[in-house]
């Protein structure tokens, strides 16, 4: 079948049912197909339905000459909402991705300068991060309305952090990680330290303080996770995942370690990232 003979509207509709990657591939077939595949009618279908509401929220105006260019530019993170979040699109699917900055989170005692320090950080995408000086009650919470996310897909939530050289007390007990959507709650535990393997994580907990390990038995039965290093140099801690049905509901995310009475310090918090789960 000669695709060049298809009516323009029909061809554009067919392409809109595929993906941005497919549209780029098929544009190589012929010059006629390329014009159709690059049309605004096709690429507007790959943009979020509320993209016109998102654009005014960008901290810096975004120039573009076509919907394809707009899509591709939005695949790079952009600061929004006064610089307290970033927004981007996943290139392969066009699904929304967000990073909530530390200022968007509820961090217990964050405004006490003896406990947390707010500072600029050269490696951060935001204007400032929160660095833990010393505390025994560690609790970091974030939330977002599910309507801000792409519907009918599974999202993953990650806490983005760094550990300074003099970090202490963070791995004596596992921290709890929780994602809650409506009446559904997913819980797990995490070792707040970058390890070569989960085995090394467990061995460190045991040999560091056997008394504390006995107390950590309360976390038995919860899924255990290990921090991972990201390509941007930060470390991500998986908080959990959830299916977004697209209804109006609040998504709550949390990391906490409040059972131990020992002091902790040296944790740098950049924010929480929400991105589509890679299946």
């Amino acid at each position: 079948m000669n695709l060049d003979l298809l009516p323009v509207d029909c061809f554009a509709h067919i392409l809109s049912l595929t993906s941005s990657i497919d549209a780029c591939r098929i544009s190589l077939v012929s010059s006629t197909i390329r014009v159709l595949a690059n049309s605004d009618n096709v690429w507007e279908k790959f943009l979020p339905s509320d993209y016109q509401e998102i654009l005014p929220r960008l901290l810096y105006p975004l120039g573009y000459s076509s919907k394809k260019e707009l899509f591709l530019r939005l695949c790079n993170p952009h600061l929004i909402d006064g610089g307290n979040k970033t927004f981007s699109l996943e290139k392969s699917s066009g699904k929304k991705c967000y990073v909530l900055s530390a200022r968007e989170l509820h961090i217990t005692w964050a405004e006490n300068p003896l406990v947390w320090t707010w500072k600029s950080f050269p490696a951060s995408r935001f204007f400032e991060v929160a660095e833990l000086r010393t505390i025994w009650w560690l609790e970091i919470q974030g939330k977002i309305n599910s309507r801000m996310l792409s519907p009918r897909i599974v999202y993953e939530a990650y806490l983005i952090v760094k550990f300074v050289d003099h970090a202490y007390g963070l791995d004596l007990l596992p921290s709890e990680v929780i994602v809650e959507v409506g009446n559904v709650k997913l819980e797990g535990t995490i070792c707040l330290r970058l390890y070569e393997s989960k085995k090394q994580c467990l061995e460190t907990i045991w040999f560091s303080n056997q008394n504390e390990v006995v107390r950590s038995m309360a976390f038995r039965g919860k899924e255990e996770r290990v921090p991972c290093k990201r390509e941007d140099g930060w470390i991500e801690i998986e908080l959990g995942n959830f299916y977004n049905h697209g209804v109006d509901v609040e998504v709550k995310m949390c990391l906490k370690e409040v059972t131990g009475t020992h002091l902790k310090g040296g944790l740098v918090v950049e924010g929480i990232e929400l991105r589509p789960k890679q299946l």
Side-chain angles (χ1 to χ4, degrees):
M1 179 179 180
N2 190 341
L3 295 178
D4 293 348
L5 299 180
L6 284 174
V8 174
D9 291 345
C10 177
F11 187 76
H13 177 70
I14 293 172
L15 278 181
S16 70
L17 300 177
T18 61
S19 69
S20 58
I21 301 297
D22 294 328
C24 290
R25 287 172 178 163
I26 201 170
S27 67
L28 302 176
V29 172
S30 70
S31 58
T32 303
I33 297 297
R34 184 179 306 112
V35 171
L36 295 174
N38 291 340
S39 69
D40 284 351
N41 288 339
V42 170
W43 284 87
E44 185 159 18
K45 300 293 185 180
F46 300 143
L47 291 166
S49 59
D50 60 347
Y51 78 92
Q52 292 182 338
E53 300 173 17
I54 295 173
L55 292 179
R57 295 165 56 194
L58 297 181
L59 188 61
Y60 306 109
L62 190 63
Y64 57 93
S65 58
S66 67
K67 296 297 172 57
K68 179 179 180 180
E69 182 183 2
L70 174 60
F71 178 92
L72 295 176
R73 296 198 66 179
L74 286 177
C75 289
N76 296 314
H78 294 271
L79 290 170
I80 64 170
D81 296 346
N84 288 327
K85 302 186 189 79
T86 67
F87 170 83
S88 63
L89 298 177
E90 186 181 58
K91 195 169 186 178
S92 61
S93 66
K95 304 303 183 183
K96 301 176 188 176
C97 306
Y98 283 94
V99 179
L100 313 179
S101 72
R103 279 294 185 190
E104 284 284 299
L105 309 179
H106 175 72
I107 303 175
T108 303
W109 292 312
E111 301 308 320
N112 186 334
L114 298 177
V115 178
W116 289 89
T117 300
W118 291 92
K119 58 196 294 187
S120 60
F121 204 83
S124 177
R125 70 207 79 201
F126 298 112
F127 299 123
E128 58 183 355
V129 299
E131 180 176 336
L132 176 61
R133 299 185 65 183
T134 185
I135 199 174
W136 71 271
W137 184 291
L138 176 61
E139 188 169 12
I140 302 167
Q141 301 178 60
K143 60 183 179 180
I144 189 171
N145 191 289
S146 63
R147 296 294 292 272
M148 293 178 60
L149 306 171
S150 297
R152 297 179 296 281
I153 64 167
V154 178
Y155 271 92
E156 295 178 310
Y158 292 89
L159 181 67
I160 305 173
V161 302
K162 278 184 179 289
F163 303 117
V164 302
D165 293 338
H166 58 272
Y168 60 92
L170 295 170
D171 59 342
L172 292 183
L173 275 178
S175 295
E176 291 183 86
V177 288
I178 303 167
V179 170
E180 186 175 356
V181 184
N183 296 324
V184 179
K185 179 186 288 189
L186 182 66
E187 298 178 284
T189 61
I190 187 78
C191 304
L192 284 186
R193 182 176 170 184
L194 191 60
Y195 297 94
E196 296 297 327
S197 67
K198 184 178 292 187
K199 181 174 180 291
Q200 182 187 356
C201 170
L202 296 175
E203 289 175 347
T204 302
I205 293 175
W206 176 259
F207 290 112
S208 294
N209 193 321
Q210 294 190 27
N211 291 330
E212 295 285 10
V213 171
V214 172
R215 299 174 61 184
S216 73
M217 297 300 284
F219 298 110
R220 180 181 291 177
K222 297 180 181 178
E223 181 185 356
E224 188 168 334
R225 299 158 191 166
V226 176
C228 298
K229 196 163 187 179
R230 297 161 54 102
E231 292 183 358
D232 58 12
W234 288 83
I235 295 167
E236 63 182 27
I237 295 170
E238 183 184 353
L239 301 177
N241 59 70
F242 60 95
Y243 183 80
N244 182 27
H245 293 274
V247 298
D248 190 356
V249 65
E250 192 171 66
V251 179
K252 300 176 183 177
M253 303 151 286
C254 179
L255 178 142
K256 64 180 180 180
E257 200 294 279
V258 299
T259 59
T261 57
H262 60 282
L263 293 177
K264 315 165 184 70
L267 179 69
V268 178
V269 178
E270 187 188 36
I272 291 180
E273 180 177 30
L274 295 108
R275 64 178 188 248
K277 182 178 177 65
Q278 300 299 314
L279 302 176

